[in-house]
């Protein structure tokens, strides 16, 4: 478990990122390539990513360079996902290139001691080697992350809409209290689930506040920097609505039980509402018309699983406590059946 300790000043300096963190999404997407955990939520992306990697001749780069640097393990280097990169690729790249050589060597030593670093990793202390790495990251990012950028932004904006409700109802503490299921607010500490292989630790914000970053490709436990002296950032997973034919009806996902209970389209709608979704977003996720999506949302609302509020010209559907409990139960069942301090617990 990670325990994040807040003071009154920290509560006043806590914010949710307005956009995805591009370098973090690169890291988290590489983790998705290394495990079947949560694969049901990314099945379509996984297939197209592999096709693009092959089609653009990136297989050797991914296998030989990127996967060894971003292991889905108890640690990978903080410098690869700098806090300055939240919401902006260029700022993140600039921070990565500006990393002092001494810090690069220290983090690569930790990587080697923890899970084993590739033999060339220490050379990244050189600026030219890091420039070359940035070129590789850019090629990978454009091939497999950018094509999903619109969906990523939509999910992050939906998450921010949900968190705004908590903020309006209960202030920052109300917002923190609604971050579950892998985070629990016990004033003045935010308890964060960590992988079993990661040791318990405490992070004292000491007036710096923290940036909460919803992540599209992160799956499972939230992720914080290994180095407590770095600007506090916590990346956390969005619950996903499965898309298209790989959605809740997929035999490998949690959706089979939900589809049996609700029907496939309503199971998709329930997933979509987990991060807040408009009727149009539900329609696109389920592959149905807007009028059909509205009927499904109404049925879920009548069953007490979602609530609906007007958001300008649109309406926003979000889960009720009952709906969240139903979805969490399905997710737990799926994980049972499937059997990263960055520097970090795995995504």
């Amino acid at each position: 478990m990670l325990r994040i300790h807040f003071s009154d000043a920290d509560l006043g300096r806590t914010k949710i990122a307005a956009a995805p963190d591009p370098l973090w999404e690169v890291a988290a997407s590489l983790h998705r390539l290394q495990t079947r955990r949560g694969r049901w939520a990314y099945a379509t992306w996984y297939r197209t990513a592999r096709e693009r990697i092959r089609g653009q001749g990136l297989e050797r780069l991914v296998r030989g360079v990127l996967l060894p640097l971003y292991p889905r393990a108890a640690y990978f280097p903080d410098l690869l996902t700098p806090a300055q990169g939240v919401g902006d690729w260029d700022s993140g790249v600039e921070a990565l290139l500006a990393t002092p050589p001494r810090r690069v060597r220290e983090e690569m030593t930790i990587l080697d001691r923890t899970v084993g670093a590739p033999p060339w990793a220490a050379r990244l202390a050189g600026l030219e080697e890091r420039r070359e790495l940035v070129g590789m990251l850019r090629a990978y990012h454009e091939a497999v992350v950018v094509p999903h950028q619109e969906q990523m932004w939509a999910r992050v904006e939906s998450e921010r809409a949900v968190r705004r409700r908590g903020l309006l109802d209960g202030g920052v503490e109300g917002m923190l209290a609604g971050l579950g299921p892998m985070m629990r607010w016990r004033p003045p500490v935010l308890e964060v689930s960590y992988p079993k292989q990661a040791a318990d630790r405490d992070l004292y914000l000491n007036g710096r506040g923290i940036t909460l970053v919803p992540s599209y490709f992160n799956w499972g436990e939230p992720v914080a920097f290994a180095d407590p002296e770095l600007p506090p950032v916590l990346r956390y997973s969005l619950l996903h609505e499965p898309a298209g034919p790989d959605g809740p009806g997929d035999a490998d996902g949690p959706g089979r039980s939900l589809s049996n209970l609700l029907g496939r389209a309503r199971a998709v709608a329930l997933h979509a509402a987990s991060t807040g979704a408009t009727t149009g977003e539900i329609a696109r996720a389920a592959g149905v018309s807007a009028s059909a999506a509205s009927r499904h949302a109404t049925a879920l609302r009548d069953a007490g699983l979602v609530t609906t509020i007007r958001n300008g010209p649109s309406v926003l559907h979000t889960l009720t406590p009952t709906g969240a409990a139903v979805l969490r139960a399905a997710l737990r069942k799926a994980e049972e059946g499937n059997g990263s301090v960055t520097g970090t617990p795995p995504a």
Side-chain angles (χ1 to χ4, degrees):
M1 177 181 293
L2 169 66
R3 292 173 291 269
I4 304 176
H5 298 259
F6 287 73
S7 66
D8 289 343
D10 294 313
L11 291 172
R13 295 188 176 100
T14 293
K15 61 182 180 180
I16 294 184
D21 178 345
L23 283 175
W24 170 254
E25 297 300 343
V26 165
S29 68
L30 286 164
H31 291 160
R32 301 283 63 76
L33 295 175
Q34 298 176 58
T35 178
R36 290 187 60 84
R37 186 184 180 201
R39 179 72 56 79
W40 63 268
Y42 304 92
T44 300
W45 171 84
Y46 181 78
R47 286 197 299 271
T48 58
R50 294 186 64 184
E51 291 169 1
R52 287 175 176 272
I53 289 169
R54 284 195 299 268
Q56 299 186 29
L58 299 176
E59 289 176 295
R60 291 183 62 186
L61 181 156
V62 171
R63 285 199 307 266
V65 178
L66 300 184
L67 295 182
L69 276 182
Y70 296 83
R72 186 181 175 274
Y75 179 87
F76 70 91
D78 289 333
L79 68 93
L80 298 173
T81 56
Q84 297 90 330
V86 174
D88 184 69
W89 172 271
D90 290 337
S91 296
V93 165
E94 183 179 340
L96 193 161
L97 293 175
T99 306
R102 178 178 178 181
R103 179 183 161 198
V104 176
R105 287 190 290 268
E106 289 175 349
E107 294 193 8
M108 294 304 161
T109 298
I110 297 173
L111 177 65
D112 190 44
R113 186 172 63 242
T114 306
V115 294
W120 45 262
R123 296 202 297 272
L124 291 175
L127 181 58
E128 287 308 311
E129 286 76 4
R130 266 176 286 148
R131 290 189 189 280
E132 186 177 354
L133 174 62
V134 165
M136 297 175 184
L137 292 173
R138 189 183 302 276
Y140 173 86
H141 179 256
E142 291 179 353
V144 304
V145 177
V146 169
H148 293 261
Q149 197 160 262
E150 183 177 343
Q151 188 173 0
M152 290 164 54
W153 277 75
R155 295 264 52 85
V156 169
E157 184 52 42
S158 294
E159 168 69 4
R160 282 168 55 84
V162 173
R163 298 304 147 225
R164 282 196 292 268
R165 292 186 64 193
L167 183 65
L168 290 171
D169 291 341
V172 176
E173 292 195 66
M175 181 183 72
L176 293 173
L179 285 172
M182 292 192 175
M183 292 177 275
R184 178 177 296 181
W185 176 241
R186 295 181 181 272
V189 177
L190 182 65
E191 296 178 346
V192 181
S193 296
Y194 254 29
K196 293 180 180 179
Q197 68 268 31
D200 286 1
R201 68 186 187 112
D202 292 270
L203 174 61
Y204 292 88
L205 300 180
N206 295 327
R208 295 173 296 171
I210 191 169
T211 300
L212 303 171
V213 184
S215 170
Y216 183 83
F217 284 109
N218 193 76
W219 182 261
E221 296 85 358
V223 180
F225 286 126
D227 185 349
E229 299 304 315
L230 292 173
V233 174
L234 185 69
R235 283 105 173 180
Y236 66 96
S237 175
L238 295 168
L239 291 176
H240 290 265
E241 83 282 6
D246 302 299
D250 188 30
D252 294 328
R256 180 165 59 177
S257 59
L258 282 180
S259 292
N260 289 341
L261 176 66
L262 302 173
R264 183 190 172 280
R266 289 178 189 172
V268 171
L270 190 69
H271 276 272
S274 66
T275 52
T278 64
T279 302
E281 289 170 338
I282 290 176
R284 288 192 293 274
V288 299
S289 67
S291 59
S294 180
R295 289 195 298 272
H296 292 312
T298 298
L300 293 174
R301 185 172 63 248
D302 290 345
L305 300 179
V306 304
T307 185
T308 301
I309 59 171
R310 181 156 293 280
N311 182 27
S314 304
V315 291
L316 184 69
H317 308 284
T318 58
L319 295 182
T320 64
T322 301
V326 169
L327 184 56
R328 282 196 299 270
L331 290 170
R332 283 195 299 270
K333 181 176 180 180
E335 290 301 331
E336 291 168 0
N338 288 338
S340 81
V341 241
T342 48
T344 24

